[in-house]
Amino acid sequence: MMSSAPESPEADSHLPEAAPPSVSESSQEVDVTGERWRSQLGVRWASLHDGSSQHQLKESESEEEREEDEPEEEEELRGVFIHFGPQVKKSVHHKEMDWSKLKKLGLYRLTKDIIVMIRVCKMFRQGLGGFREYQIIETPHRKHPLFSFWDKRKQGRITFDTMDFVAEEGHLPPRAIQIMQKLPSWRTEPEIQALYNLLQVLNSYRNYSEPLQLLLARVMRFERFGRRRVMVKKGQRGNSFYFIYMGTVAVTEDEDGSSAFLDPHPTLLHKGDCFGELGLMSPSVRRATVVCMEETEFLVVDREDFFANKLDQEFQKDAQHRFEFFRKMDLFESWSDEKLWKLVTLGKVEKFSYGQLVLKDFIESPSIMFVCKGSCEVLRLIDLGTSPFYYKWIWQHLELIDDTSLKTHLNEPSPVERFKEFQIKSYPVQDFSTLKLKHLQKAWEQQGSSFSRRIKTSGNTLPKTLGPKIKSRHPHSLECPMINTEYGELPEEAAVGAYIKIHTVEEGETV
Ligand SMILES: Nc1ncnc2c1ncn2[C@@H]1O[C@@H]2COP(=O)(O)O[C@H]2[C@H]1O
């Protein structure tokens, strides 16, 4: 029988005093207050003290009750009788009449109520414990659209619940949570594949090799915590490592993480970042404290699952691969293996797709990048407003667009559109517009240019520097926001930048 109570010194020391002398006596005595209660009491005591009757009694209970309920009830009964023990004993051995007195006093009723209350409290405690760390996000008014069709080949109806794959904005979808609640060995291959696909949005996950990603999808479990929850405490031994699916955490040097809420610029980690892997893979203690800045969802890999599913071996393979890559480089020729391994553990692999921006400004970047596969281009942003040729070209176009006699030019796209088109064709994945505007805005601010001033330009007042060639034939007015450049005013819309390629970094080279 499963029972933790006898192991507890406290329970042991109280048990003999609390127990009535015999099972039958106690069960007979308790009669009037309720048949069910009496028999229950008799059965429980029998299971505690009479080894031979144990088996018989167990057979009448369900598997669940045997494993979970029994130890609790024993504990409760002991607890209750520890308190009321001496009175019960006295009544049994000395005065039978006392029982009826006690009954009248409602002692058994009271005992029963206390037991029920203890059980209810325990159930609540257990229930809340479970809910504290895992809550399904449910929208009360959500409809459940089920999509179903008849599959001729399989001769069966295929049902697809779209809600399985829909989450509250930013949250992990319920279907993924369901999978992650299962033990690693219970997860099916399609389930692991589904998680693998879903987690491609997380940079730190995607950066691992495919076999490692699949192993991670097998063992990850889901957790959600609120603001101020300390996930990892500096100086403690690490048992898990975490991927952030939603929310923000801060990395701090203090133990309780409180500095993160006072620091105006804390070190923050967001969706797609991971932390705690170092503490898991090496015997060293946590190097920093990590605290939640808001409600945050994590995908957690625990130490025991990590080793049981041989993730350590796969991580080791990855690290070995990186070590060999560095060993081949001339740059590290003079480095010892030991030093190189340090570099391997500090570095991280990052993957970029074609056209994706790697780094905005690598001169200001705090890290060194080694291209281990593929190649990337180093581009320079040129502010076209600083070029006199571009300036002239823009004003020529403005004049021609305004000149009704030259109809053919009316259909020509504006310089901005042409630039955008060029940009889209050149870099289909990454949109550089915000970056470009940011750079230009900074440059204009430095030059003290007027960013939002409006001026009126008529046909006869086009900038003189452009010469007579671009004089408008008909008087006209031009009204648009202008900016100042070295050569005069330029319509704000036309103040664009362009990237020119200055270098290609190949495999094995450094950025
Ligand atoms: N400066 C930092 N920037 C980002 N993450 C960090 C920084 N310092 C520590 N960490 C992470 O915080 C984690 C704390 O526990 P670990 O030492 O196991 O692993 C650590 C890293 O994953």
Side-chain angles (χ1 to χ4, degrees):
M1 186 170 66
M2 255 176 60
S3 175
S4 57
E7 281 165 31
S8 141
E10 213 178 277
D12 270 343
S13 61
H14 287 84
L15 196 59
E17 203 191 338
S22 84
V23 175
S24 52
E25 260 181 45
S26 67
S27 59
Q28 275 164 19
E29 295 298 342
V30 190
D31 200 2
V32 193
T33 40
E35 190 65 27
R36 193 163 157 264
W37 167 238
R38 183 196 60 191
S39 58
Q40 242 187 18
L41 200 63
V43 165
R44 295 301 177 191
W45 282 110
S47 66
L48 271 174
H49 299 287
D50 185 358
S52 60
S53 58
Q54 222 174 34
H55 178 69
Q56 202 185 343
L57 292 164
K58 271 184 179 178
E59 273 178 359
S60 66
E61 291 171 356
S62 72
E63 192 72 27
E64 215 175 18
E65 270 181 299
R66 245 182 284 154
E67 281 183 19
E68 288 169 15
D69 288 350
E70 218 170 271
E72 284 172 25
E73 285 196 21
E74 282 161 17
E75 223 180 295
E76 286 159 14
L77 286 165
R78 277 174 213 177
V80 169
F81 277 89
I82 284 162
H83 195 74
F84 296 106
Q87 290 175 41
V88 175
K89 262 183 167 178
K90 200 181 162 194
S91 69
V92 167
H93 289 295
H94 304 290
K95 288 180 190 170
E96 284 224 345
M97 279 306 287
D98 283 355
W99 280 111
S100 56
K101 274 187 193 167
L102 288 173
K103 272 176 241 156
K104 274 182 198 155
L105 284 170
L107 179 63
Y108 283 99
R109 180 80 224 158
L110 181 67
T111 312
K112 195 177 166 185
D113 287 349
I114 291 171
I115 291 174
V116 170
M117 272 159 60
I118 290 172
R119 292 191 70 180
V120 169
C121 287
K122 269 195 175 178
M123 280 156 89
F124 265 104
R125 268 211 320 268
Q126 284 167 357
L128 290 174
F131 277 115
R132 199 180 55 226
E133 295 184 0
Y134 168 68
Q135 305 147 17
I136 298 178
I137 306 143
E138 198 88 63
T139 316
H141 307 297
R142 211 181 232 184
K143 288 207 175 84
H144 233 256
L146 279 178
F147 170 70
S148 114
F149 64 93
W150 182 260
D151 189 329
K152 272 188 195 162
R153 264 193 310 150
K154 290 186 179 162
Q155 279 300 299
R157 183 158 285 283
I158 292 184
T159 309
F160 181 78
D161 185 353
T162 50
M163 295 316 286
D164 280 350
F165 300 90
V166 175
E168 292 283 308
E169 202 183 337
H171 292 276
L172 190 69
R175 174 77 185 123
I177 297 178
Q178 276 171 9
I179 299 172
M180 286 191 188
Q181 278 182 301
K182 291 185 179 185
L183 287 174
S185 54
W186 291 2
R187 298 182 195 178
T188 63
E189 290 310 317
E191 283 173 342
I192 291 168
Q193 191 64 43
L195 283 182
Y196 164 86
N197 293 340
L198 189 93
L199 300 180
Q200 293 305 306
V201 290
L202 306 181
N203 281 339
S204 53
Y205 177 82
R206 201 183 54 237
N207 289 334
Y208 287 120
S209 66
E210 198 182 315
L212 205 42
Q213 286 185 44
L214 289 166
L215 281 173
L216 284 167
R218 179 177 287 283
V219 299
M220 277 169 164
R221 65 182 174 83
F222 173 74
E223 286 203 65
R224 181 185 300 126
F225 293 107
R227 183 174 157 87
R228 289 186 183 272
R229 166 79 192 223
V230 174
M231 301 301 301
V232 158
K233 210 168 192 177
K234 187 177 176 173
Q236 288 194 345
R237 197 167 166 260
N239 282 320
S240 309
F241 96 90
Y242 304 83
F243 290 84
I244 304 171
Y245 190 83
M246 190 198 84
T248 309
V249 299
V251 182
T252 69
E253 284 296 316
D254 58 346
E255 270 185 31
D256 63 359
S258 56
S259 65
F261 301 95
L262 303 170
D263 187 347
H265 304 290
T267 307
L268 298 176
L269 302 176
H270 307 272
K271 177 174 184 166
D273 292 330
C274 70
F275 60 89
E277 72 282 16
L278 297 172
L280 198 72
M281 281 178 269
S282 68
S284 62
V285 291
R286 298 291 197 193
R287 290 181 308 150
T289 295
V290 181
V291 61
C292 296
M293 298 301 282
E294 56 184 324
E295 187 187 66
T296 308
E297 291 184 358
F298 299 99
L299 310 175
V300 190
V301 179
D302 293 320
R303 178 184 283 273
E304 52 196 63
D305 293 328
F306 186 81
F307 289 103
N309 289 276
K310 301 194 168 71
L311 267 87
D312 54 326
Q313 292 177 14
E314 208 57 48
F315 267 93
Q316 192 58 35
K317 252 193 237 170
D318 261 21
Q320 185 68 35
H321 195 258
R322 270 181 284 157
F323 177 82
E324 280 157 19
F325 170 79
F326 285 137
R327 193 69 294 172
K328 275 189 230 153
M329 289 180 77
D330 296 342
L331 188 66
F332 302 113
E333 215 173 7
S334 60
W335 283 41
S336 67
D337 281 4
E338 197 188 349
K339 214 168 164 188
L340 213 53
W341 269 113
K342 241 184 195 166
L343 189 71
V344 168
T345 47
L346 287 175
K348 271 185 182 174
V349 176
E350 284 191 43
K351 288 179 192 167
F352 297 91
S353 347
Y354 173 74
Q356 193 181 348
L357 180 69
V358 177
L359 213 59
K360 277 183 187 174
D361 187 350
F362 67 81
I363 293 171
E364 281 180 18
S365 162
S367 42
I368 307 174
M369 288 189 150
F370 301 91
V371 180
C372 10
K373 204 173 169 193
S375 65
C376 62
E377 288 176 351
V378 180
L379 308 171
R380 179 168 289 155
L381 177 67
I382 307 288
D383 179 357
L384 292 179
T386 59
S387 157
F389 302 103
Y390 177 72
Y391 182 78
K392 192 170 176 178
W393 182 76
I394 287 288
W395 277 111
Q396 276 175 341
H397 275 76
L398 284 173
E399 191 268 337
L400 292 173
I401 286 164
D402 198 59
D403 198 330
T404 44
S405 59
L406 290 168
K407 285 221 162 76
T408 46
H409 290 287
L410 284 173
N411 297 329
E412 265 191 21
S414 74
V416 174
E417 278 162 2
R418 280 174 58 159
F419 174 74
K420 274 186 184 161
E421 205 188 333
F422 152 78
Q423 195 186 32
I424 288 161
K425 277 183 189 156
S426 318
Y427 303 100
V429 183
Q430 184 71 34
D431 176 15
F432 291 96
S433 48
T434 39
L435 170 65
K436 182 186 67 198
L437 276 173
K438 215 175 134 203
H439 272 255
L440 290 178
Q441 212 165 326
K442 220 168 154 188
W444 294 331
E445 274 164 20
Q446 276 167 4
Q447 283 170 19
S449 56
S450 60
F451 191 57
S452 58
R453 195 158 60 87
R454 280 174 171 272
I455 62 149
K456 260 190 179 175
T457 314
S458 68
N460 298 327
T461 58
L462 284 174
K464 292 221 163 51
T465 44
L466 301 176
K469 195 184 154 209
I470 57 159
K471 215 170 178 186
S472 181
R473 277 186 235 160
H474 307 288
H476 66 282
S477 77
L478 182 70
E479 198 174 315
C480 61
M482 306 294 278
I483 64 143
N484 279 328
T485 72
E486 229 180 288
Y487 311 99
E489 281 168 328
L490 203 63
E492 188 192 286
E493 284 280 280
V496 293
Y499 287 97
I500 58 160
K501 188 174 95 177
I502 55 170
H503 181 54
T504 302
V505 189
E506 302 286 354
E507 199 170 307
E509 290 183 338
T510 314
V511 183

